[in-house]
Amino acid sequence: MNAPNVIFWGFKIVWVCICLAVLVISGASFYSSPNHDSEVFLVSVMLVLAFPISFLYALLFAGIARAYFFLTGEIIPSTFITICINWLGFFLLGYIQWFQVAPWLLRKLKKM
């Protein structure tokens, strides 16, 4: 392996570990805290880790929540399942953005 590949894989491992830590901390604080600020923590950190695509996911989820409210008159309840769904959405889009699309774009730019 050459140096750029080692750095890339190191960045990938650190990024995935931080994302997993965010999920574990959010899940633990959800069950230990009565006010459930764990989703605020999750969204705040994942917005940074998956920037800029994370903002599109946040807008999509906000739109779904708004539609749910208009259809049912209730807000989407904060549960561990919603925490996992939000984390998975941020994680998948961030992973695709940073480790699939960004390297592909860099390879294309180097060929120019």
Side-chain angles (χ1 to χ4, degrees), residues 53-79:
I53 195 79
S54 57
F55 285 97
L56 293 176
Y57 177 74
L59 287 173
L60 173 70
F61 192 80
I64 291 170
R66 186 123 172 121
Y68 182 82
F69 177 76
F70 281 129
L71 293 173
T72 65
E74 300 175 1
I75 61 170
I76 295 176
S78 181
T79 64

mmCIF file of all heavy atoms in Angstrom, residues 53-79:
data_model
loop_
_atom_site.group_PDB
_atom_site.id
_atom_site.type_symbol
_atom_site.label_atom_id
_atom_site.label_comp_id
_atom_site.label_asym_id
_atom_site.label_seq_id
_atom_site.Cartn_x
_atom_site.Cartn_y
_atom_site.Cartn_z
ATOM 1 N N ILE A 53 -23.749 16.853 2.335
ATOM 2 C CA ILE A 53 -24.933 16.077 1.965
ATOM 3 C C ILE A 53 -25.885 15.917 3.148
ATOM 4 O O ILE A 53 -27.078 15.694 2.961
ATOM 5 C CB ILE A 53 -24.532 14.706 1.379
ATOM 6 C CG1 ILE A 53 -25.687 14.025 0.649
ATOM 7 C CG2 ILE A 53 -24.023 13.763 2.454
ATOM 8 C CD1 ILE A 53 -25.935 14.550 -0.709
ATOM 9 N N SER A 54 -25.378 16.060 4.358
ATOM 10 C CA SER A 54 -26.200 15.888 5.549
ATOM 11 C C SER A 54 -27.339 16.895 5.609
ATOM 12 O O SER A 54 -28.418 16.591 6.123
ATOM 13 C CB SER A 54 -25.341 15.996 6.802
ATOM 14 O OG SER A 54 -24.668 17.238 6.832
ATOM 15 N N PHE A 55 -27.127 18.082 5.072
ATOM 16 C CA PHE A 55 -28.184 19.079 5.096
ATOM 17 C C PHE A 55 -29.351 18.666 4.205
ATOM 18 O O PHE A 55 -30.503 18.937 4.532
ATOM 19 C CB PHE A 55 -27.643 20.460 4.701
ATOM 20 C CG PHE A 55 -26.852 21.088 5.801
ATOM 21 C CD1 PHE A 55 -25.479 20.997 5.813
ATOM 22 C CD2 PHE A 55 -27.480 21.742 6.840
ATOM 23 C CE1 PHE A 55 -24.739 21.557 6.837
ATOM 24 C CE2 PHE A 55 -26.759 22.308 7.877
ATOM 25 C CZ PHE A 55 -25.380 22.219 7.876
ATOM 26 N N LEU A 56 -29.055 18.012 3.100
ATOM 27 C CA LEU A 56 -30.145 17.514 2.249
ATOM 28 C C LEU A 56 -30.943 16.430 2.956
ATOM 29 O O LEU A 56 -32.166 16.393 2.876
ATOM 30 C CB LEU A 56 -29.582 16.989 0.926
ATOM 31 C CG LEU A 56 -28.977 18.030 0.007
ATOM 32 C CD1 LEU A 56 -28.371 17.356 -1.221
ATOM 33 C CD2 LEU A 56 -30.016 19.049 -0.398
ATOM 34 N N TYR A 57 -30.242 15.547 3.678
ATOM 35 C CA TYR A 57 -30.952 14.510 4.436
ATOM 36 C C TYR A 57 -31.796 15.136 5.540
ATOM 37 O O TYR A 57 -32.939 14.720 5.778
ATOM 38 C CB TYR A 57 -29.975 13.495 5.028
ATOM 39 C CG TYR A 57 -30.688 12.470 5.866
ATOM 40 C CD1 TYR A 57 -31.432 11.465 5.259
ATOM 41 C CD2 TYR A 57 -30.665 12.521 7.245
ATOM 42 C CE1 TYR A 57 -32.117 10.538 6.013
ATOM 43 C CE2 TYR A 57 -31.348 11.603 8.006
ATOM 44 C CZ TYR A 57 -32.074 10.605 7.387
ATOM 45 O OH TYR A 57 -32.766 9.697 8.139
ATOM 46 N N ALA A 58 -31.251 16.133 6.229
ATOM 47 C CA ALA A 58 -32.003 16.802 7.296
ATOM 48 C C ALA A 58 -33.258 17.460 6.737
ATOM 49 O O ALA A 58 -34.336 17.389 7.351
ATOM 50 C CB ALA A 58 -31.124 17.826 8.004
ATOM 51 N N LEU A 59 -33.147 18.090 5.571
ATOM 52 C CA LEU A 59 -34.327 18.684 4.942
ATOM 53 C C LEU A 59 -35.344 17.621 4.540
ATOM 54 O O LEU A 59 -36.551 17.816 4.697
ATOM 55 C CB LEU A 59 -33.917 19.509 3.722
ATOM 56 C CG LEU A 59 -33.226 20.832 4.011
ATOM 57 C CD1 LEU A 59 -32.721 21.458 2.712
ATOM 58 C CD2 LEU A 59 -34.172 21.779 4.722
ATOM 59 N N LEU A 60 -34.870 16.506 4.024
ATOM 60 C CA LEU A 60 -35.762 15.412 3.658
ATOM 61 C C LEU A 60 -36.505 14.883 4.881
ATOM 62 O O LEU A 60 -37.727 14.706 4.849
ATOM 63 C CB LEU A 60 -34.975 14.281 2.991
ATOM 64 C CG LEU A 60 -35.759 13.003 2.698
ATOM 65 C CD1 LEU A 60 -36.770 13.250 1.589
ATOM 66 C CD2 LEU A 60 -34.821 11.879 2.332
ATOM 67 N N PHE A 61 -35.785 14.634 5.970
ATOM 68 C CA PHE A 61 -36.430 14.122 7.176
ATOM 69 C C PHE A 61 -37.394 15.153 7.753
ATOM 70 O O PHE A 61 -38.472 14.796 8.241
ATOM 71 C CB PHE A 61 -35.393 13.712 8.223
ATOM 72 C CG PHE A 61 -36.001 12.915 9.343
ATOM 73 C CD1 PHE A 61 -36.252 11.560 9.174
ATOM 74 C CD2 PHE A 61 -36.328 13.510 10.539
ATOM 75 C CE1 PHE A 61 -36.826 10.819 10.184
ATOM 76 C CE2 PHE A 61 -36.895 12.778 11.570
ATOM 77 C CZ PHE A 61 -37.149 11.427 11.388
ATOM 78 N N ALA A 62 -37.033 16.437 7.701
ATOM 79 C CA ALA A 62 -37.937 17.488 8.182
ATOM 80 C C ALA A 62 -39.211 17.524 7.343
ATOM 81 O O ALA A 62 -40.306 17.709 7.871
ATOM 82 C CB ALA A 62 -37.237 18.838 8.150
ATOM 83 N N GLY A 63 -39.072 17.325 6.033
ATOM 84 C CA GLY A 63 -40.253 17.274 5.166
ATOM 85 C C GLY A 63 -41.146 16.091 5.485
ATOM 86 O O GLY A 63 -42.380 16.208 5.499
ATOM 87 N N ILE A 64 -40.528 14.945 5.752
ATOM 88 C CA ILE A 64 -41.306 13.759 6.123
ATOM 89 C C ILE A 64 -42.016 13.994 7.452
ATOM 90 O O ILE A 64 -43.197 13.649 7.604
ATOM 91 C CB ILE A 64 -40.393 12.518 6.181
ATOM 92 C CG1 ILE A 64 -39.927 12.150 4.777
ATOM 93 C CG2 ILE A 64 -41.097 11.340 6.841
ATOM 94 C CD1 ILE A 64 -38.830 11.104 4.739
ATOM 95 N N ALA A 65 -41.324 14.599 8.408
ATOM 96 C CA ALA A 65 -41.927 14.883 9.710
ATOM 97 C C ALA A 65 -43.087 15.858 9.570
ATOM 98 O O ALA A 65 -44.133 15.707 10.209
ATOM 99 C CB ALA A 65 -40.870 15.434 10.668
ATOM 100 N N ARG A 66 -42.923 16.833 8.709
ATOM 101 C CA ARG A 66 -44.004 17.816 8.486
ATOM 102 C C ARG A 66 -45.212 17.156 7.834
ATOM 103 O O ARG A 66 -46.355 17.417 8.222
ATOM 104 C CB ARG A 66 -43.474 18.944 7.613
ATOM 105 C CG ARG A 66 -44.420 20.072 7.435
ATOM 106 C CD ARG A 66 -43.746 21.320 7.901
ATOM 107 N NE ARG A 66 -44.572 22.463 7.565
ATOM 108 C CZ ARG A 66 -45.008 23.282 8.495
ATOM 109 N NH1 ARG A 66 -44.696 23.073 9.739
ATOM 110 N NH2 ARG A 66 -45.732 24.304 8.175
ATOM 111 N N ALA A 67 -44.974 16.312 6.848
ATOM 112 C CA ALA A 67 -46.075 15.601 6.195
ATOM 113 C C ALA A 67 -46.784 14.686 7.190
ATOM 114 O O ALA A 67 -48.016 14.597 7.194
ATOM 115 C CB ALA A 67 -45.544 14.803 5.007
ATOM 116 N N TYR A 68 -46.015 14.007 8.028
ATOM 117 C CA TYR A 68 -46.603 13.139 9.059
ATOM 118 C C TYR A 68 -47.490 13.950 9.996
ATOM 119 O O TYR A 68 -48.584 13.516 10.363
ATOM 120 C CB TYR A 68 -45.484 12.437 9.836
ATOM 121 C CG TYR A 68 -45.970 11.489 10.898
ATOM 122 C CD1 TYR A 68 -46.352 10.196 10.565
ATOM 123 C CD2 TYR A 68 -46.037 11.873 12.235
ATOM 124 C CE1 TYR A 68 -46.785 9.313 11.538
ATOM 125 C CE2 TYR A 68 -46.471 11.008 13.209
ATOM 126 C CZ TYR A 68 -46.847 9.725 12.864
ATOM 127 O OH TYR A 68 -47.289 8.853 13.830
ATOM 128 N N PHE A 69 -47.036 15.152 10.361
ATOM 129 C CA PHE A 69 -47.819 16.006 11.246
ATOM 130 C C PHE A 69 -49.124 16.442 10.572
ATOM 131 O O PHE A 69 -50.184 16.441 11.191
ATOM 132 C CB PHE A 69 -47.009 17.235 11.665
ATOM 133 C CG PHE A 69 -47.781 18.193 12.521
ATOM 134 C CD1 PHE A 69 -48.020 17.903 13.852
ATOM 135 C CD2 PHE A 69 -48.274 19.368 11.983
ATOM 136 C CE1 PHE A 69 -48.737 18.778 14.647
ATOM 137 C CE2 PHE A 69 -48.999 20.250 12.777
ATOM 138 C CZ PHE A 69 -49.235 19.960 14.114
ATOM 139 N N PHE A 70 -49.046 16.818 9.307
ATOM 140 C CA PHE A 70 -50.259 17.252 8.614
ATOM 141 C C PHE A 70 -51.255 16.111 8.429
ATOM 142 O O PHE A 70 -52.459 16.322 8.456
ATOM 143 C CB PHE A 70 -49.931 17.873 7.258
ATOM 144 C CG PHE A 70 -49.454 19.289 7.358
ATOM 145 C CD1 PHE A 70 -48.289 19.683 6.727
ATOM 146 C CD2 PHE A 70 -50.144 20.240 8.089
ATOM 147 C CE1 PHE A 70 -47.831 20.986 6.807
ATOM 148 C CE2 PHE A 70 -49.706 21.543 8.186
ATOM 149 C CZ PHE A 70 -48.549 21.907 7.541
ATOM 150 N N LEU A 71 -50.741 14.905 8.234
ATOM 151 C CA LEU A 71 -51.628 13.754 8.024
ATOM 152 C C LEU A 71 -52.230 13.227 9.316
ATOM 153 O O LEU A 71 -53.389 12.798 9.334
ATOM 154 C CB LEU A 71 -50.877 12.626 7.310
ATOM 155 C CG LEU A 71 -50.467 12.908 5.873
ATOM 156 C CD1 LEU A 71 -49.593 11.788 5.337
ATOM 157 C CD2 LEU A 71 -51.702 13.084 4.990
ATOM 158 N N THR A 72 -51.468 13.241 10.393
ATOM 159 C CA THR A 72 -51.936 12.621 11.635
ATOM 160 C C THR A 72 -52.224 13.615 12.747
ATOM 161 O O THR A 72 -52.905 13.267 13.711
ATOM 162 C CB THR A 72 -50.889 11.614 12.159
ATOM 163 O OG1 THR A 72 -49.710 12.328 12.516
ATOM 164 C CG2 THR A 72 -50.589 10.548 11.133
ATOM 165 N N GLY A 73 -51.687 14.821 12.654
ATOM 166 C CA GLY A 73 -51.847 15.793 13.728
ATOM 167 C C GLY A 73 -50.902 15.549 14.892
ATOM 168 O O GLY A 73 -51.025 16.182 15.933
ATOM 169 N N GLU A 74 -49.972 14.634 14.734
ATOM 170 C CA GLU A 74 -49.008 14.312 15.783
ATOM 171 C C GLU A 74 -47.588 14.485 15.245
ATOM 172 O O GLU A 74 -47.362 14.388 14.046
ATOM 173 C CB GLU A 74 -49.183 12.865 16.241
ATOM 174 C CG GLU A 74 -50.541 12.545 16.801
ATOM 175 C CD GLU A 74 -50.699 11.069 17.120
ATOM 176 O OE1 GLU A 74 -49.729 10.307 16.923
ATOM 177 O OE2 GLU A 74 -51.783 10.680 17.558
ATOM 178 N N ILE A 75 -46.662 14.719 16.157
ATOM 179 C CA ILE A 75 -45.260 14.759 15.744
ATOM 180 C C ILE A 75 -44.700 13.338 15.772
ATOM 181 O O ILE A 75 -45.249 12.464 16.452
ATOM 182 C CB ILE A 75 -44.415 15.697 16.634
ATOM 183 C CG1 ILE A 75 -44.430 15.229 18.088
ATOM 184 C CG2 ILE A 75 -44.901 17.126 16.517
ATOM 185 C CD1 ILE A 75 -43.433 15.948 18.962
ATOM 186 N N ILE A 76 -43.635 13.107 15.033
ATOM 187 C CA ILE A 76 -42.995 11.792 15.049
ATOM 188 C C ILE A 76 -42.379 11.602 16.437
ATOM 189 O O ILE A 76 -41.583 12.436 16.880
ATOM 190 C CB ILE A 76 -41.914 11.674 13.957
ATOM 191 C CG1 ILE A 76 -42.557 11.763 12.575
ATOM 192 C CG2 ILE A 76 -41.138 10.372 14.107
ATOM 193 C CD1 ILE A 76 -41.563 11.748 11.434
ATOM 194 N N PRO A 77 -42.762 10.545 17.137
ATOM 195 C CA PRO A 77 -42.226 10.364 18.495
ATOM 196 C C PRO A 77 -40.733 10.070 18.467
ATOM 197 O O PRO A 77 -40.221 9.450 17.538
ATOM 198 C CB PRO A 77 -43.015 9.164 19.026
ATOM 199 C CG PRO A 77 -43.502 8.454 17.821
ATOM 200 C CD PRO A 77 -43.656 9.481 16.742
ATOM 201 N N SER A 78 -40.057 10.542 19.490
ATOM 202 C CA SER A 78 -38.629 10.285 19.624
ATOM 203 C C SER A 78 -38.451 8.921 20.267
ATOM 204 O O SER A 78 -38.733 8.740 21.451
ATOM 205 C CB SER A 78 -37.991 11.375 20.477
ATOM 206 O OG SER A 78 -36.615 11.156 20.599
ATOM 207 N N THR A 79 -37.995 7.964 19.477
ATOM 208 C CA THR A 79 -37.750 6.616 19.965
ATOM 209 C C THR A 79 -36.339 6.203 19.562
ATOM 210 O O THR A 79 -35.685 6.880 18.770
ATOM 211 C CB THR A 79 -38.757 5.612 19.374
ATOM 212 O OG1 THR A 79 -38.561 5.548 17.951
ATOM 213 C CG2 THR A 79 -40.195 6.018 19.679
#
